[in-house]
Amino acid sequence: MAETEVSKKRKRPIVRLAVLLLSHSVLVSVICCTAGVFGLLLLPVLAKNTYISENALMPGSASSMLSNQEVSEANKLIKELNNLHSNPLGATTESHGIIAKYMSNLGAQVNNHKFHPQLNQFHPLHFFSGPDSGVMQENSTRSLYGINTVGIIRAPRGDGKEAIVLVTPYNAVKGGVREALSLAIAYSVFSLLTRVTWLAKDIIWLVADSQYGEYAPVAAWLRDYHTPAFSNLDSLNTETCHVGNNNFESKISYGIRRSGTMAAALVLGVAYRNENEDTLGIYAEASNGQMPNLDLINIVHYLAVHRQGLPVKVEQFHWLLNSKWVKSLGEVFESLGKMVKTLNPDWKLGISAADYVEGAATLASSLYHQALGVPTGPHGAFRDYQVDAITLEFSLRISFDRLDRRNDFLLHGGRLIEGVIRSVNNLLEKFHQSFFLFLLTSPSKFVSVGVYMIAFALLVAPLPVVAASLYAKTLDLNPTSEKDNSATSNELGSVLQSWKWLNSVKTVFVVHFWGAIVSLLPYFISQIPDSDPTTNFSVWILLSILSLEILRWILVSPSSHIYGLPQGEWAILKSATISSFFIGLGLMSVINFATAEIGALLMVPMALMAHPLKLDVRSQSLRSILRMICNLVLGVISFPPATFFVFKGVIEGFSGIKAGDFWNWVESLWAWNSATYLYIGMVHLPCWVLCVQILLHPC
């Protein structure tokens, strides 16, 4: 009776499901990868309209108070700054004094902040943290410095614990009408805010000296604002900002004046583009894919479109707008949407082909810039201190010289900034209601993390299934068998056979250790004097190959060296490779999801399809030939330099591509401390090398 009960004992449902997945791993891989790619292409269709999550913001609930009086005062500032260009030698010195004088005349607290330009240089010990002031002094030229001018309005209804920041980059040496206009917009708003009674948060206006770039002065000021340094950088020679008025000079502080916690920051810029209408561009991406709270973008979009009549634009890949295959996909999804709507009118999945193309171009740009990990403007410096910030770029369709057109522009731009500040001023706490993880498909549509994460999950889901299936099959553990696993002999055999896993794990570890060495090599290569990017790239490749050979000779035994595992063990190596890649993608998705998404698109198909080419040649079946062709194509496309050159050629054309372009691109990644650089060197490249090893396995 007991034997009958044991024989009829069934496995748990979760065990049976695992056995089913392992026994059909190929089918699971095909279904999941296809669904993952389809889900990614479907994201523009699934995008939702943006909305204001925080009710306290109340954008547009109050009438604008900015008038022509503030605009006329701003025009005086433009005129005075433009007159300085007739004397370029004194423009730098006098411009800071003029801006400080205008701030002081409004009753603001004014100070000048001196900073030294920081050299963007790769250093492995400071990769995820910005250098402190001591390191900055050592890596910079003492004779070169910039001066930021800062004005602070104390809120009549505030306690000084919160502030809103306005940033206007201004290059006093090369500054023109466009930079003067951005100053005029900020000054008109600043002038108004000195007289209002509803202000509950302090207003900080930072005029960033952008002669050494727009990002550096903002980052330097934020660093000193949050971490005060007691050094000679805080003392500024009064001769550098001498205006000739002793009473005025006495009002200027040469240290760091501080307010409270920053609630939000707006970076203002003006550009001239040959377009049919005035537009407002929004740049939101910060370092390593960080984004501001979506509510900040939403209130800017609402006030610009519905209050000031300014169309809002975000970055797009323009080459996708003319892509035939994207248009074809749009037509397919448009037809599917109409079909679905006939089945159930409540399913709102319809989208026109034109909207799909626009959404796909915007989505691809948003995904790329987040994956790149490089800030798209000075606002990125604020995100490092958990401050929500965006860059607003006003674009005019005609010249700035017409006075009537300029006044109209200053009025609309100033009222927009006033409305945003008024909304943020209503907040009782930091932005938290809306999304921090999202992808934009247009200025008014977004894809939330709960939607785009599904495509990534489907792409990486086959990795653990295939790894477990390969391991089970290699150890002769048939998932579909009904053997009695309680037998002592079978358990002992499994334990003995599992030691084969260690050889593959050792190989995977060595290759990933080599990836860490490859990631550190640019630090030493960059020390070579008078070397061009092409030479540096060539030296990097040679040293990488040499270091791989040295590691193989030192750390790997002859019986399991990198280029020749014992016959029949390539499947275990593939299982270990897929497992390590799955772990790497999981970690990267926490740091920068966009990088993990693009990495999965490029590398998951190759990792799943990797198969010794010799076995495919011997088989000579249609399936083997197709798999061999796919492996060769994927092997070329997924190699990081090849991926870069293909992508660059599609966007800019293949005629102007140089070998040193990849070095310049990688240099920009490590200069901005982008985690994508570490992913390429320590996850993607080692996985690619291991897959190539599997393809070249001497079966």
Short mmCIF file of all heavy atoms in Angstrom, two decimals, residues 89-131:
data_model
loop_
_atom_site.label_atom_id
_atom_site.label_comp_id
_atom_site.label_asym_id
_atom_site.label_seq_id
_atom_site.Cartn_x
_atom_site.Cartn_y
_atom_site.Cartn_z
N LEU A 89 38.61 93.44 -24.51
CA LEU A 89 39.57 93.22 -23.44
C LEU A 89 38.94 93.44 -22.07
O LEU A 89 39.26 92.76 -21.11
CB LEU A 89 40.78 94.15 -23.62
CG LEU A 89 41.62 93.89 -24.88
CD1 LEU A 89 42.76 94.91 -24.98
CD2 LEU A 89 42.18 92.47 -24.88
N GLY A 90 38.06 94.40 -21.99
CA GLY A 90 37.44 94.67 -20.70
C GLY A 90 36.07 94.07 -20.53
O GLY A 90 35.43 94.30 -19.51
N ALA A 91 35.61 93.31 -21.53
CA ALA A 91 34.25 92.77 -21.48
C ALA A 91 34.08 91.79 -20.34
O ALA A 91 33.07 91.80 -19.63
CB ALA A 91 33.90 92.10 -22.81
N THR A 92 35.09 90.93 -20.13
CA THR A 92 34.97 89.92 -19.09
C THR A 92 34.85 90.56 -17.71
O THR A 92 34.01 90.19 -16.90
CB THR A 92 36.18 88.98 -19.13
OG1 THR A 92 36.28 88.41 -20.44
CG2 THR A 92 36.06 87.87 -18.11
N THR A 93 35.72 91.53 -17.45
CA THR A 93 35.73 92.16 -16.14
C THR A 93 34.47 92.98 -15.90
O THR A 93 33.84 92.88 -14.84
CB THR A 93 36.97 93.06 -16.00
OG1 THR A 93 38.14 92.27 -16.21
CG2 THR A 93 37.02 93.71 -14.64
N GLU A 94 34.10 93.76 -16.88
CA GLU A 94 32.99 94.69 -16.68
C GLU A 94 31.63 94.00 -16.70
O GLU A 94 30.70 94.45 -16.04
CB GLU A 94 33.04 95.78 -17.74
CG GLU A 94 34.28 96.67 -17.65
CD GLU A 94 34.27 97.74 -18.71
OE1 GLU A 94 33.23 97.91 -19.37
OE2 GLU A 94 35.31 98.41 -18.89
N SER A 95 31.49 92.90 -17.47
CA SER A 95 30.18 92.25 -17.56
C SER A 95 29.74 91.70 -16.22
O SER A 95 28.56 91.80 -15.85
CB SER A 95 30.23 91.12 -18.61
OG SER A 95 31.19 90.14 -18.23
N HIS A 96 30.66 91.08 -15.47
CA HIS A 96 30.30 90.57 -14.14
C HIS A 96 29.87 91.71 -13.23
O HIS A 96 28.92 91.57 -12.44
CB HIS A 96 31.48 89.82 -13.53
CG HIS A 96 31.88 88.60 -14.28
ND1 HIS A 96 31.06 87.49 -14.37
CD2 HIS A 96 33.00 88.30 -14.98
CE1 HIS A 96 31.67 86.56 -15.08
NE2 HIS A 96 32.85 87.03 -15.47
N GLY A 97 30.56 92.85 -13.33
CA GLY A 97 30.18 93.99 -12.51
C GLY A 97 28.82 94.55 -12.87
O GLY A 97 28.03 94.93 -11.99
N ILE A 98 28.51 94.59 -14.17
CA ILE A 98 27.21 95.10 -14.60
C ILE A 98 26.08 94.20 -14.12
O ILE A 98 25.06 94.67 -13.59
CB ILE A 98 27.19 95.24 -16.14
CG1 ILE A 98 28.13 96.37 -16.58
CG2 ILE A 98 25.77 95.49 -16.63
CD1 ILE A 98 28.27 96.48 -18.07
N ILE A 99 26.26 92.89 -14.29
CA ILE A 99 25.21 91.95 -13.86
C ILE A 99 25.02 92.04 -12.35
O ILE A 99 23.88 92.06 -11.86
CB ILE A 99 25.58 90.52 -14.30
CG1 ILE A 99 25.60 90.42 -15.82
CG2 ILE A 99 24.60 89.51 -13.72
CD1 ILE A 99 26.16 89.11 -16.34
N ALA A 100 26.12 92.09 -11.61
CA ALA A 100 26.02 92.20 -10.15
C ALA A 100 25.35 93.51 -9.75
O ALA A 100 24.57 93.54 -8.78
CB ALA A 100 27.41 92.10 -9.54
N LYS A 101 25.62 94.59 -10.48
CA LYS A 101 25.01 95.87 -10.16
C LYS A 101 23.50 95.83 -10.36
O LYS A 101 22.73 96.32 -9.52
CB LYS A 101 25.62 96.97 -11.03
CG LYS A 101 25.07 98.36 -10.76
CD LYS A 101 25.71 99.39 -11.66
CE LYS A 101 25.31 99.17 -13.12
NZ LYS A 101 25.83 100.24 -14.00
N TYR A 102 23.07 95.22 -11.47
CA TYR A 102 21.63 95.13 -11.72
C TYR A 102 20.95 94.28 -10.65
O TYR A 102 19.84 94.58 -10.21
CB TYR A 102 21.38 94.53 -13.11
CG TYR A 102 21.33 95.56 -14.22
CD1 TYR A 102 22.49 96.13 -14.72
CD2 TYR A 102 20.12 95.96 -14.75
CE1 TYR A 102 22.45 97.07 -15.74
CE2 TYR A 102 20.06 96.90 -15.76
CZ TYR A 102 21.22 97.46 -16.25
OH TYR A 102 21.17 98.40 -17.25
N MET A 103 21.61 93.18 -10.24
CA MET A 103 21.04 92.36 -9.17
C MET A 103 20.93 93.15 -7.88
O MET A 103 19.90 93.12 -7.19
CB MET A 103 21.91 91.11 -8.94
CG MET A 103 21.86 90.07 -10.02
SD MET A 103 22.92 88.67 -9.56
CE MET A 103 22.67 87.58 -10.96
N SER A 104 21.99 93.85 -7.53
CA SER A 104 22.03 94.60 -6.27
C SER A 104 21.00 95.72 -6.25
O SER A 104 20.39 96.00 -5.21
CB SER A 104 23.43 95.15 -6.04
OG SER A 104 23.51 95.86 -4.84
N ASN A 105 20.78 96.35 -7.40
CA ASN A 105 19.79 97.43 -7.46
C ASN A 105 18.38 96.93 -7.19
O ASN A 105 17.50 97.73 -6.81
CB ASN A 105 19.85 98.11 -8.82
CG ASN A 105 21.13 98.91 -9.01
OD1 ASN A 105 21.81 99.26 -8.04
ND2 ASN A 105 21.48 99.18 -10.26
N LEU A 106 18.15 95.63 -7.41
CA LEU A 106 16.84 95.07 -7.12
C LEU A 106 16.67 94.69 -5.65
O LEU A 106 15.60 94.24 -5.25
CB LEU A 106 16.60 93.82 -7.99
CG LEU A 106 16.52 94.06 -9.50
CD1 LEU A 106 16.41 92.73 -10.24
CD2 LEU A 106 15.33 94.95 -9.85
N GLY A 107 17.73 94.83 -4.89
CA GLY A 107 17.67 94.48 -3.47
C GLY A 107 18.09 93.06 -3.17
O GLY A 107 17.88 92.59 -2.05
N ALA A 108 18.68 92.37 -4.14
CA ALA A 108 19.11 90.99 -3.93
C ALA A 108 20.46 90.95 -3.23
O ALA A 108 21.24 91.90 -3.29
CB ALA A 108 19.20 90.25 -5.26
N GLN A 109 20.72 89.84 -2.56
CA GLN A 109 22.03 89.60 -1.98
C GLN A 109 22.93 89.02 -3.07
O GLN A 109 22.61 88.00 -3.67
CB GLN A 109 21.93 88.63 -0.80
CG GLN A 109 21.08 89.15 0.35
CD GLN A 109 20.95 88.13 1.46
OE1 GLN A 109 21.47 87.02 1.38
NE2 GLN A 109 20.23 88.50 2.52
N VAL A 110 24.05 89.66 -3.33
CA VAL A 110 24.90 89.33 -4.47
C VAL A 110 26.24 88.81 -3.98
O VAL A 110 26.80 89.34 -3.00
CB VAL A 110 25.10 90.55 -5.39
CG1 VAL A 110 25.88 90.16 -6.65
CG2 VAL A 110 23.75 91.16 -5.76
N ASN A 111 26.74 87.80 -4.64
CA ASN A 111 28.10 87.33 -4.36
C ASN A 111 28.72 86.81 -5.65
O ASN A 111 28.02 86.41 -6.59
CB ASN A 111 28.11 86.24 -3.29
CG ASN A 111 27.59 84.92 -3.80
OD1 ASN A 111 26.38 84.71 -3.83
ND2 ASN A 111 28.47 84.01 -4.19
N ASN A 112 30.04 86.86 -5.71
CA ASN A 112 30.80 86.31 -6.83
C ASN A 112 31.47 85.01 -6.39
O ASN A 112 32.03 84.95 -5.28
CB ASN A 112 31.86 87.30 -7.32
CG ASN A 112 31.24 88.49 -8.03
OD1 ASN A 112 30.41 88.32 -8.92
ND2 ASN A 112 31.62 89.69 -7.63
N HIS A 113 31.40 84.02 -7.22
CA HIS A 113 31.97 82.71 -6.91
C HIS A 113 33.08 82.41 -7.90
O HIS A 113 32.84 82.35 -9.11
CB HIS A 113 30.89 81.62 -6.98
CG HIS A 113 31.43 80.23 -6.92
ND1 HIS A 113 31.41 79.38 -8.01
CD2 HIS A 113 32.01 79.55 -5.92
CE1 HIS A 113 31.95 78.23 -7.67
NE2 HIS A 113 32.32 78.30 -6.40
N LYS A 114 34.28 82.24 -7.38
CA LYS A 114 35.43 81.96 -8.23
C LYS A 114 35.67 80.45 -8.29
O LYS A 114 35.62 79.76 -7.27
CB LYS A 114 36.67 82.65 -7.67
CG LYS A 114 37.94 82.45 -8.50
CD LYS A 114 39.11 83.19 -7.88
CE LYS A 114 40.38 82.98 -8.69
NZ LYS A 114 41.54 83.67 -8.07
N PHE A 115 35.94 79.95 -9.48
CA PHE A 115 36.20 78.52 -9.65
C PHE A 115 37.28 78.33 -10.70
O PHE A 115 37.49 79.19 -11.57
CB PHE A 115 34.93 77.77 -10.06
CG PHE A 115 34.45 78.11 -11.45
CD1 PHE A 115 34.81 77.32 -12.54
CD2 PHE A 115 33.65 79.22 -11.68
CE1 PHE A 115 34.37 77.64 -13.82
CE2 PHE A 115 33.21 79.54 -12.95
CZ PHE A 115 33.57 78.74 -14.02
N HIS A 116 37.96 77.22 -10.62
CA HIS A 116 38.96 76.85 -11.61
C HIS A 116 38.38 75.78 -12.52
O HIS A 116 37.68 74.87 -12.05
CB HIS A 116 40.23 76.31 -10.95
CG HIS A 116 41.01 77.36 -10.21
ND1 HIS A 116 41.73 78.33 -10.85
CD2 HIS A 116 41.16 77.59 -8.89
CE1 HIS A 116 42.30 79.11 -9.96
NE2 HIS A 116 41.97 78.68 -8.75
N PRO A 117 38.64 75.85 -13.81
CA PRO A 117 38.10 74.82 -14.72
C PRO A 117 38.69 73.46 -14.39
O PRO A 117 39.88 73.32 -14.14
CB PRO A 117 38.54 75.31 -16.10
CG PRO A 117 39.72 76.18 -15.85
CD PRO A 117 39.46 76.84 -14.52
N GLN A 118 37.83 72.48 -14.39
CA GLN A 118 38.23 71.11 -14.06
C GLN A 118 38.48 70.34 -15.34
O GLN A 118 37.67 70.32 -16.25
CB GLN A 118 37.14 70.43 -13.24
CG GLN A 118 37.43 68.98 -12.89
CD GLN A 118 36.27 68.35 -12.17
OE1 GLN A 118 35.51 69.01 -11.49
NE2 GLN A 118 36.12 67.04 -12.33
N LEU A 119 39.63 69.68 -15.40
CA LEU A 119 39.97 68.88 -16.56
C LEU A 119 39.25 67.54 -16.49
O LEU A 119 39.32 66.84 -15.48
CB LEU A 119 41.49 68.65 -16.64
CG LEU A 119 42.35 69.91 -16.75
CD1 LEU A 119 43.83 69.53 -16.76
CD2 LEU A 119 42.01 70.71 -18.01
N ASN A 120 38.56 67.19 -17.58
CA ASN A 120 37.88 65.89 -17.65
C ASN A 120 38.90 64.82 -17.97
O ASN A 120 39.33 64.67 -19.12
CB ASN A 120 36.79 65.92 -18.72
CG ASN A 120 35.60 66.72 -18.29
OD1 ASN A 120 35.33 66.86 -17.11
ND2 ASN A 120 34.87 67.28 -19.25
N GLN A 121 39.32 64.11 -16.96
CA GLN A 121 40.35 63.08 -17.13
C GLN A 121 39.94 61.83 -16.40
O GLN A 121 39.48 61.87 -15.25
CB GLN A 121 41.70 63.59 -16.60
CG GLN A 121 42.86 62.64 -16.88
CD GLN A 121 44.19 63.22 -16.43
OE1 GLN A 121 44.23 64.29 -15.83
NE2 GLN A 121 45.28 62.54 -16.72
N PHE A 122 40.12 60.69 -17.06
CA PHE A 122 39.71 59.42 -16.47
C PHE A 122 40.62 59.07 -15.29
O PHE A 122 41.84 59.12 -15.40
CB PHE A 122 39.77 58.33 -17.53
CG PHE A 122 39.53 56.94 -16.98
CD1 PHE A 122 38.26 56.56 -16.61
CD2 PHE A 122 40.56 56.04 -16.84
CE1 PHE A 122 38.03 55.30 -16.11
CE2 PHE A 122 40.34 54.78 -16.33
CZ PHE A 122 39.07 54.41 -15.98
N HIS A 123 40.00 58.75 -14.18
CA HIS A 123 40.74 58.27 -13.02
C HIS A 123 39.91 57.18 -12.36
O HIS A 123 38.79 57.43 -11.91
CB HIS A 123 41.02 59.40 -12.04
CG HIS A 123 42.10 59.05 -11.04
ND1 HIS A 123 41.92 58.13 -10.04
CD2 HIS A 123 43.38 59.49 -10.91
CE1 HIS A 123 43.02 58.02 -9.33
NE2 HIS A 123 43.93 58.84 -9.83
N PRO A 124 40.43 55.95 -12.29
CA PRO A 124 39.61 54.84 -11.79
C PRO A 124 39.18 54.99 -10.34
O PRO A 124 38.14 54.48 -9.94
CB PRO A 124 40.53 53.62 -11.97
CG PRO A 124 41.91 54.17 -12.05
CD PRO A 124 41.78 55.52 -12.69
N LEU A 125 39.95 55.71 -9.52
CA LEU A 125 39.59 55.86 -8.12
C LEU A 125 38.54 56.92 -7.88
O LEU A 125 38.01 57.05 -6.78
CB LEU A 125 40.86 56.19 -7.30
CG LEU A 125 41.96 55.12 -7.32
CD1 LEU A 125 43.12 55.57 -6.46
CD2 LEU A 125 41.43 53.78 -6.83
N HIS A 126 38.23 57.73 -8.90
CA HIS A 126 37.22 58.79 -8.75
C HIS A 126 36.13 58.63 -9.81
O HIS A 126 35.58 59.60 -10.27
CB HIS A 126 37.87 60.17 -8.89
CG HIS A 126 38.91 60.46 -7.86
ND1 HIS A 126 38.60 60.88 -6.60
CD2 HIS A 126 40.26 60.36 -7.91
CE1 HIS A 126 39.71 61.05 -5.90
NE2 HIS A 126 40.74 60.74 -6.67
N PHE A 127 35.82 57.37 -10.17
CA PHE A 127 34.91 57.18 -11.29
C PHE A 127 33.49 57.60 -10.94
O PHE A 127 32.84 58.30 -11.70
CB PHE A 127 34.92 55.71 -11.73
CG PHE A 127 34.26 55.51 -13.05
CD1 PHE A 127 34.95 55.71 -14.23
CD2 PHE A 127 32.93 55.13 -13.13
CE1 PHE A 127 34.34 55.53 -15.45
CE2 PHE A 127 32.31 54.96 -14.35
CZ PHE A 127 33.03 55.15 -15.52
N PHE A 128 32.99 57.18 -9.78
CA PHE A 128 31.61 57.46 -9.42
C PHE A 128 31.47 58.67 -8.50
O PHE A 128 30.40 58.92 -7.99
CB PHE A 128 30.98 56.25 -8.75
CG PHE A 128 30.67 55.15 -9.72
CD1 PHE A 128 31.34 53.95 -9.64
CD2 PHE A 128 29.73 55.33 -10.71
CE1 PHE A 128 31.05 52.93 -10.53
CE2 PHE A 128 29.44 54.32 -11.60
CZ PHE A 128 30.11 53.12 -11.51
N SER A 129 32.52 59.42 -8.29
CA SER A 129 32.44 60.60 -7.42
C SER A 129 33.24 61.72 -8.04
O SER A 129 34.33 61.50 -8.58
CB SER A 129 32.97 60.29 -6.02
OG SER A 129 34.33 59.90 -6.08
N GLY A 130 32.69 62.92 -7.99
CA GLY A 130 33.39 64.06 -8.52
C GLY A 130 34.58 64.41 -7.66
O GLY A 130 34.59 64.23 -6.44
N PRO A 131 35.66 64.93 -8.24
CA PRO A 131 36.85 65.28 -7.47
C PRO A 131 36.58 66.44 -6.53
O PRO A 131 35.82 67.34 -6.83
CB PRO A 131 37.86 65.65 -8.55
CG PRO A 131 37.04 66.07 -9.71
CD PRO A 131 35.80 65.24 -9.66
#
